[in-house]
Amino acid sequence: MEYILIFISAIFVNNIIFSQFLGICPFLGVSKKLDTSLGMGAAVAFVMTLATIVTWLIQLVLNQFGLQYLQTLTFILVIAALVQMVEIILKKVSPALYQALGIFLPLITTNCAVLGVAILVIQKDYNLLQGVVYAISTAIGFALAMALFAGLREQLALVKVPKGMQGTSIVLVTAGLLALAFMGFSGLEGGLSKLFGL
């Protein structure tokens, strides 16, 4: 039941974008079209899950030798290497998606959501399975936020927006309203904890 709580909490209650404000750059930059945002969500999900597994194992080595102070630097290097691997795979498997993501694929390297999840797994003292569940759940929450926002932006392109609100203004207002909608899930975690007796 603890894994279900981690899963639901990471997707809805503690959404990486709306409650922890990590991954805002791709959220605002890649969310103009639904297919691009879903592709970005899938790429981030793959990198986030793989990075969590690798960084969790690396953390064991760092702890063994008393090198915890190298955690952030090591994690950044691991994530950069994983992104390069994803880029090579996407180029061969799906050239259309690779072209659609364009400059944003290398930006996963500096996506603070990926590094944030790797560090949060260590801070929350999760075991490897809990860390993987948390990473997958967070990636699903990231992709859900991207898809919802992309859908809203596609709809905004079809309506007449007042001149003073066009462009970045309406995008930020829409993002704020979507974040407020996700705040409605804030009581869900406590209710589930009581329900499952955790």
Side-chain angles (χ1 to χ4, degrees):
M1 293 300 166
E2 183 182 352
Y3 295 104
I4 294 172
L5 186 62
I6 291 171
F7 185 77
I8 292 172
S9 175
I11 294 174
F12 299 109
V13 181
N14 297 317
N15 187 285
I16 195 84
I17 292 175
F18 297 130
S19 71
Q20 298 180 26
F21 306 110
L22 296 173
I24 298 293
C25 288
F27 175 70
L28 294 174
V30 189
S31 60
K32 292 179 183 172
K33 293 186 178 181
L34 186 59
D35 56 344
T36 308
S37 65
L38 288 174
M40 182 66 161
V44 167
F46 178 73
V47 170
M48 195 177 283
T49 305
L50 203 56
T52 300
I53 294 168
V54 174
T55 55
W56 191 88
L57 295 171
I58 287 173
Q59 185 65 26
L60 292 178
V61 175
L62 293 176
N63 288 343
Q64 187 71 28
F65 293 104
L67 299 171
Q68 295 90 344
Y69 60 91
L70 292 175
Q71 172 184 308
T72 305
L73 179 64
T74 308
F75 287 8
I76 290 170
L77 292 173
V78 167
I79 291 166
L82 290 173
V83 169
Q84 290 301 314
M85 186 178 75
V86 168
E87 193 170 354
I88 291 167
I89 291 170
L90 272 182
K91 198 171 189 178
K92 290 189 183 262
V93 174
S94 178
L97 181 58
Y98 176 78
Q99 290 295 328
L101 290 175
I103 188 68
F104 295 106
L105 189 59
L107 290 179
I108 295 176
T109 307
T110 57
N111 186 348
C112 54
V114 178
L115 178 62
V117 167
I119 291 173
L120 284 170
V121 165
I122 304 301
Q123 286 178 349
K124 291 175 184 270
D125 202 27
Y126 284 154
N127 62 35
L128 184 58
L129 185 57
Q130 288 172 326
V132 169
V133 169
Y134 180 72
I136 291 170
S137 307
T138 303
I140 291 170
F142 181 86
L144 176 68
M146 293 278 292
L148 288 172
F149 195 54
L152 289 171
R153 286 185 76 175
E154 285 182 356
Q155 288 298 315
L156 279 173
L158 302 175
V159 298
K160 187 175 181 183
V161 178
K163 189 168 184 162
M165 290 295 292
Q166 290 176 358
T168 307
S169 302
I170 193 67
V171 169
L172 294 175
V173 168
T174 306
L177 291 173
L178 194 53
L180 281 173
F182 267 73
M183 282 181 62
F185 295 115
S186 61
L188 188 63
E189 187 174 22
L192 288 173
S193 294
K194 288 179 185 174
L195 179 67
F196 294 129
L198 295 173

